[in-house]
Amino acid sequence: MELGAAASTSRYGRLLSRGAPAGSLLNGEWLRVDADLVAHPRYVRRDVPELHLFYTGSAWRIVRGSDYPSGELLAEAVSAALHPATVGVSGWSLLEAETGAVRHCPEYEMVCDGPNTELQPFLMEELGRDFFLRVQLTRKVVWFVCPATGNVYHSAAKPGGPGGRSRPGKRYCHLCAKCFSANNFQSQHLANLHRPGRPTALVTVPDEAGGGALLWG
């Protein structure tokens, strides 16, 4: 099935956050406010537009205030994830109202929710371009649009149903900017092409202060 070039950033998917204490503004739906397909996406909370979700270069942050991005810090996840929904499990820390400190909150998470069907698939911009490298699917099957071709695929390793499920699934690799067979995506594609190599020997490099730095390749 082909939907054409997937240039949009949102279609059927919704970014939801959950796991903060009951009544917290940090729980809810987020709306994307940029159309940049290269940079990390930016969001605001639906119905609470003074809450901004963005990437700093080393962490995802939620701040409150009109002076984005320097508003009041409410939540943070130090991560290399390309999308808030691909931040690792237990990756978030939230502002604790009683103490004013930002503390680890393993229950808090951001997820992409939607119909997840062949006719209403996710865009990779909704899931996060690095979704298939960072998220463990277990038994979940995801329908998605390949950004490179506009074709719709399911992520299951084996065929097993009507329509598009009668064919083996695929998964998208953002590092290669193309889809590969889901059956050997983890065991062959990632392992053979994207697994970090063995580090080289450590080298000590002296600095001007009389100390040194350890480097390796």
Side-chain angles (χ1 to χ4, degrees), residues 71-207:
E72 177 190 9
L73 179 63
L74 300 182
E76 182 177 63
V78 177
S79 172
L82 299 180
H83 191 277
T86 61
V87 170
V89 176
S90 302
W92 287 89
S93 297
L94 310 185
L95 178 69
E96 191 174 69
E98 295 78 8
T99 65
V102 176
R103 299 190 183 279
H104 182 227
C105 182
E107 297 82 14
Y108 191 69
E109 63 178 351
M110 293 204 169
V111 297
C112 183
D113 181 60
N116 190 23
T117 66
E118 185 175 8
L119 296 179
Q120 295 181 307
F122 291 113
L123 301 176
M124 289 307 303
E125 286 295 321
E126 295 170 325
L127 293 169
R129 296 189 302 275
D130 55 349
F131 179 83
F132 291 112
L133 275 74
R134 298 185 61 89
V135 176
Q136 295 295 322
L137 292 179
T138 60
R139 294 182 177 274
K140 182 178 180 180
V141 175
V142 175
W143 287 95
F144 68 98
V145 180
C146 173
T149 65
N151 293 330
V152 175
Y153 300 114
H154 66 82
S155 64
K158 305 291 185 181
R165 281 299 305 274
S166 65
R167 299 184 297 275
K170 294 181 180 292
R171 298 184 185 183
Y172 180 71
C173 174
H174 74 285
L175 298 173
C176 299
K178 62 187 296 186
C179 287
F180 296 89
S181 168
N183 189 42
N184 54 25
F185 187 76
Q186 295 282 346
S187 61
Q188 295 186 30
H189 179 71
L190 295 188
N192 294 337
L193 291 182
H194 302 309
R195 177 180 293 171
R198 178 178 297 178
T200 59
L202 293 175
V203 177
T204 303
V205 178
D207 59 27

Side-chain angles (χ1 to χ4, degrees), residues 8-64:
S8 174
T9 58
S10 61
R11 187 178 292 159
Y12 302 115
R14 300 184 303 152
L15 180 64
L16 304 178
S17 55
R18 60 196 183 194
S24 171
L25 294 177
L26 294 175
N27 295 325
E29 183 178 350
W30 297 81
L31 300 178
R32 186 161 178 170
V33 294
D34 74 289
D36 191 336
L37 298 180
V38 178
H40 292 71
R42 294 189 297 109
Y43 293 85
V44 296
R45 250 296 312 273
R46 180 184 286 275
D47 302 326
V48 192
E50 65 269 23
L51 262 61
H52 301 267
L53 168 62
F54 61 97
Y55 193 67
T56 67
S58 60
W60 287 96
R61 283 184 177 173
I62 299 174
V63 302
R64 174 167 52 193

